[in-house]
Amino acid sequence: MSGNKNFVLGVYDDEDLLLKAIKDVRESGVKIYEVFSPFPVHGIDDVLGYKRSRLSIAAFLFGLLGTTLALTMQIGMMTFDWPMIIGGKDFFPFPTFIPVTFELTVLLGAFGMCGTFFVVSNLKPWAKPRIFDERITDDKHIIAVDIDKNSMSEEEIKKSLSAAGAQEVNNKSFE
Amino acid sequence: MSDEKYIFSAGAKKNIFIVLAVGIVLAVLGVIMINSGGHHDAHGAEHAVEAAAAHGEHAAHGAEHTAEAAGEHHAAYHWTHRLKANLWINNLFFTGLAIIGVFFICIQYVAQAGWSVGVKRIPMAMASFLPIAAVLMIVVWLFSNHEIFHWTHAGLMDPDSPEFDPIIKGKEGYLNFGFYMGRMVAFFAIWYLLFIQIRKNMLAEDLEGGTNRWKKLVGLSAAFIVFFGYSSSIAAWDWVMSIDPHWFSTMFGWYVFASWWVTGLAFITFVAIQLKDKGYLSVVNSNHLHDLGKFVWGFSIFWTYIWFSQFLLIYYANIPEETIYFVERLKSDYYSKIFFINLIINFVLPFLLLMTRDSKRHARILKVVTPIVIFGHWLDFYLMVTPGVLKENGGFGFLEIGLMLVYGATFVYVMLHSLAKHPLVAKNHPMYNEALHHHI
């Protein structure tokens, strides 16, 4: 079994119960790996103790890269490489650079954000999807706990999940 | 659920009257300074207050000479021109604030938005300035059309007159007293009629509950938005663009609207925060402030987008009769500073200061940014009107500040007076509960 990833799954069928269960389970000292839910549950980020996503910082940095690229390119071309007079403007017609700069900022910001999201979420084409339970796309909420990442024993984790009102507690392992 | 009501305290009234009095004193002082001892004294005095006034007065003499030499039909500069230009700027600005009150409410109803229930009474109070705005607009227009609107001069449309202007003659079908005044009166009348219908239904909803009033309000709001879509553009052409009757910009209607709209949003946000500080509006929390902040941030960018689109089209095309509008503002010693200040305080500052999520959620930052935006758009209107009316004689001194305070105090008084008349919370609004639970 070495190399395998072992999980304990607590199955819940009500989102209010789920929110309370997450709180209780965390308070009992169990580290939650992930919670799966068929629909967005309000306030779930707070009870899970998730910090605000830093994706916006990535967006800002990629956007800045786009701005720099656009300005360098346009100034390099129009002002130094091949200066041209267009419509009576001088070799540094800054206002005409603004639309392109804006577009490249948005484009690189969006691409960069998508890329960052894929990397962070492990969404590479060759990644094997881990299907914890098929009912998570139907009507069940599931709290998954990684046994190896917890100092507690499997039994204790199971007890904690049941005590928090789980309908059933299952084992699941992936290669 | 208590019927929360704003109490317009004697202290608040006193403060407003003090501002009003200071405004009147400053305005009178400004007029005296412009007149006493000719231009140079006025220059010195204003310089002490606002460095921005700098070159205007110097250039005044030069501009007059060239105007005379070129045989232009502008009357010589007189201080009343500056007074009238300022009255007009403030009329435009505060009319905009009032009408945006109605527009904001209508947008919320048509979008069937729930988050805004708690703040809707503020725009409703703002719009109660409309009848006063209408009277001020019409009176000021009647008394100062010759000074502000060049096209109103008699000889321009007469082919036998030495002042005959074929371009303005070509616009006679649109720019003539009857049609112009008719539009102005009709706009104010229809805006106000729709507004009192909307207000009546909003207040009836407080008593009756249910969704009947709400459904009616969605319909009324849709009607207002359609009418406002046309009328705000036409009003912008009439009241601002026709100051420079040779020049035209197809984007001008949106440009004026964008300026009005972002000012109105900033004002609603500012008042909401002030009310919260005084212990009112318990419904409004940082989630609602976040939405208002996003509105101010987004529409500051929208204004810049419109501003820049108009600028870039003219800059690219390089047609002399179009570029003159920006040459007057950008190549002038005096206006070019305001031109860039305008961009900085209406775009760069709100863009950077309100960029992060936290800055939109904390009242303290919004309390700093929104007055900047409000003043910035006053300056925007200043820049739309003054160069066209006063040419190089424009200035920014006690007169400008004073009149701004007079109008501002009047507007705030009317608004707060109206706010105190009705409950502050729309307790029977169908989306009241949704607003309470708003979470972003």
Side-chain angles (χ1 to χ4, degrees):
Chain A
M1 286 286 277
S2 70
N4 272 14
K5 284 213 160 261
N6 300 305
F7 293 94
V8 178
L9 310 179
V11 183
Y12 301 84
D13 65 349
D14 182 82
E15 70 264 29
D16 293 327
L17 181 68
L18 176 78
L19 286 181
K20 201 183 164 301
I22 294 171
K23 228 170 153 186
D24 293 347
V25 169
R26 287 186 76 222
E27 267 166 19
S28 71
V30 175
K31 286 201 195 87
I32 293 174
Y33 170 74
E34 188 72 275
V35 176
F36 299 92
S37 170
F39 50 80
V41 178
H42 277 291
I44 200 165
D45 290 13
D46 297 333
V47 288
L48 275 168
Y50 282 177
K51 291 203 184 74
R52 236 167 64 71
S53 159
R54 284 173 301 176
L55 197 60
S56 51
I57 298 173
F60 179 76
L61 292 177
F62 280 108
L64 211 59
L65 187 70
T67 312
T68 321
L69 179 74
L71 283 177
T72 323
M73 185 181 81
Q74 292 175 96
I75 295 168
M77 288 168 177
M78 274 301 290
T79 312
F80 296 105
D81 187 38
W82 201 280
M84 262 194 295
I85 290 174
I86 297 171
K89 309 296 183 292
D90 59 14
F91 295 142
F92 183 69
F94 181 68
T96 62
F97 292 167
I98 291 176
V100 176
T101 311
F102 169 76
E103 298 294 348
L104 266 181
T105 306
V106 174
L107 185 76
L108 261 70
F111 279 179
M113 217 165 27
C114 279
T116 313
F117 176 73
F118 282 147
V119 170
V120 170
S121 324
N122 197 22
L123 278 170
K124 46 188 180 271
W126 58 90
K128 271 191 196 155
R130 285 176 180 165
I131 296 163
F132 280 82
D133 193 313
E134 274 147 22
R135 291 172 297 174
I136 56 172
T137 57
D138 186 14
D139 63 344
K140 293 284 187 276
H141 310 271
I142 280 169
I143 300 179
V145 180
D146 191 337
I147 298 170
D148 307 326
K149 292 266 170 68
N150 267 293
S151 51
M152 295 162 92
S153 73
E154 196 178 328
E155 284 313 305
E156 278 175 308
I157 295 170
K158 281 186 171 169
K159 209 185 284 169
S160 169
L161 287 171
S162 314
Q167 280 184 319
E168 44 185 281
V169 179
N170 304 324
N171 277 70
K172 184 89 184 173
S173 53
F174 298 97
E175 269 181 40
Chain B
M1 179 64 247
S2 63
D3 284 353
E4 197 178 24
K5 238 180 165 182
Y6 174 72
I7 297 156
F8 195 7
S9 67
K13 277 181 190 162
K14 207 179 100 192
N15 288 340
I16 291 173
F17 283 125
I18 289 171
V19 173
L20 186 75
V22 169
I24 293 171
V25 170
L26 282 181
V28 172
L29 214 60
V31 170
I32 294 169
M33 275 174 166
I34 294 167
N35 282 306
S36 66
H39 286 290
H40 282 283
D41 268 13
H43 175 215
E46 273 167 21
H47 198 268
V49 191
E50 280 294 327
H55 298 285
E57 305 289 347
H58 273 317
H61 302 290
E64 265 168 44
H65 288 311
T66 46
E68 278 159 30
E72 270 198 39
H73 25 250
H74 282 293
Y77 170 70
H78 191 258
W79 68 267
T80 51
H81 293 181
R82 190 160 148 186
L83 176 71
K84 286 169 177 176
N86 272 296
L87 286 171
W88 195 246
I89 293 164
N90 285 303
N91 272 343
L92 290 169
F93 184 76
F94 288 99
T95 303
L97 265 183
I99 194 64
I100 287 304
V102 194
F103 184 65
F104 183 88
I105 294 169
C106 292
I107 287 283
Q108 302 306 323
Y109 276 111
V110 170
Q112 311 194 350
W115 68 273
S116 56
V117 173
V119 295
K120 257 186 202 162
R121 291 295 151 95
I122 300 168
M124 194 176 99
M126 278 157 68
S128 54
F129 187 71
L130 264 181
I132 299 168
V135 172
L136 280 170
M137 271 293 221
I138 292 165
V139 169
V140 171
W141 197 88
L142 289 175
F143 277 100
S144 49
N145 52 22
H146 282 335
E147 285 78 11
I148 299 172
F149 296 97
H150 176 58
W151 60 266
T152 55
H153 289 264
L156 295 170
M157 298 181 189
D158 175 12
D160 299 327
S161 158
E163 293 176 348
F164 177 63
D165 188 329
I167 294 173
I168 294 176
K169 171 78 182 164
K171 299 182 180 182
E172 195 182 7
Y174 185 77
L175 290 179
N176 60 71
F177 179 78
F179 192 23
Y180 186 96
M181 210 18 110
R183 284 195 301 267
M184 194 190 267
V185 172
F187 287 173
F188 274 112
I190 297 170
W191 286 344
Y192 191 61
L193 282 176
L194 280 169
F195 167 64
I196 47 180
Q197 283 299 311
I198 288 167
R199 179 166 65 183
K200 199 182 84 191
N201 280 292
M202 281 171 84
L203 294 173
E205 194 175 58
D206 270 0
L207 306 172
E208 294 169 14
T211 51
N212 282 336
R213 293 290 176 178
W214 185 80
K215 280 177 185 150
K216 210 181 243 177
L217 278 161
V218 173
L220 274 171
S221 300
F224 178 83
I225 287 175
V226 171
F227 181 69
F228 185 68
Y230 292 98
S231 57
S232 67
S233 254
I234 295 170
W237 308 336
D238 284 1
W239 302 344
V240 195
M241 198 164 76
S242 76
I243 291 171
D244 306 273
H246 279 199
W247 179 82
F248 62 88
S249 156
T250 46
M251 302 200 65
F252 207 79
W254 308 321
Y255 174 54
V256 171
F257 163 74
S259 210
W260 277 349
W261 178 226
V262 71
T263 316
L265 292 169
F267 192 79
I268 293 167
T269 314
F270 185 70
V271 174
I273 293 169
Q274 293 298 330
L275 286 176
K276 263 201 86 61
D277 280 359
K278 300 256 175 343
Y280 298 103
L281 287 184
S282 50
V283 191
V284 175
N285 58 37
S286 59
N287 292 300
H288 305 94
L289 287 184
H290 190 176
D291 273 342
L292 286 168
K294 281 190 282 191
F295 248 147
V296 175
W297 189 71
F299 280 99
S300 286
I301 297 171
F302 175 75
W303 173 85
T304 319
Y305 167 71
I306 299 289
W307 183 95
F308 181 69
S309 301
Q310 176 174 289
F311 175 79
L312 191 68
L313 285 175
I314 293 169
Y315 175 89
Y316 252 141
N318 219 10
I319 303 168
E321 67 265 27
E322 286 292 309
T323 48
I324 182 71
Y325 185 79
F326 285 108
V327 169
E328 270 178 5
R329 283 152 180 83
L330 196 52
K331 298 287 182 200
S332 141
D333 283 344
Y334 172 54
Y335 296 116
S336 66
K337 277 179 223 139
I338 300 179
F339 187 84
F340 288 110
I341 292 171
N342 184 26
L343 276 182
I344 290 166
I345 63 178
N346 286 331
F347 173 59
V348 180
L349 282 183
F351 179 72
L352 294 176
L353 290 175
L354 289 181
M355 189 168 350
T356 66
R357 182 176 192 264
D358 285 346
S359 61
K360 290 177 218 117
R361 292 180 76 85
H362 292 313
R364 217 178 289 163
I365 296 173
L366 284 172
K367 225 191 293 183
V368 175
V369 178
T370 48
I372 293 178
V373 171
I374 294 168
F375 174 72
H377 285 281
W378 185 92
L379 210 59
D380 191 27
F381 275 97
Y382 177 87
L383 208 52
M384 285 183 220
V385 173
T386 315
V389 179
L390 300 179
K391 307 297 170 200
E392 281 297 316
N393 297 311
F396 189 90
F398 282 156
L399 178 60
E400 277 73 17
I401 298 169
L403 275 182
M404 202 196 306
L405 292 179
V406 169
Y407 269 80
T410 315
F411 182 84
V412 171
Y413 184 87
V414 172
M415 194 209 83
L416 291 180
H417 180 69
S418 161
L419 198 65
K421 265 199 282 191
H422 312 296
L424 209 49
V425 179
K427 57 171 180 175
N428 279 331
H429 193 289
M431 287 170 179
Y432 180 73
N433 205 33
E434 187 182 327
L436 273 183
H437 295 282
H438 184 57
H439 177 84
I440 44 172

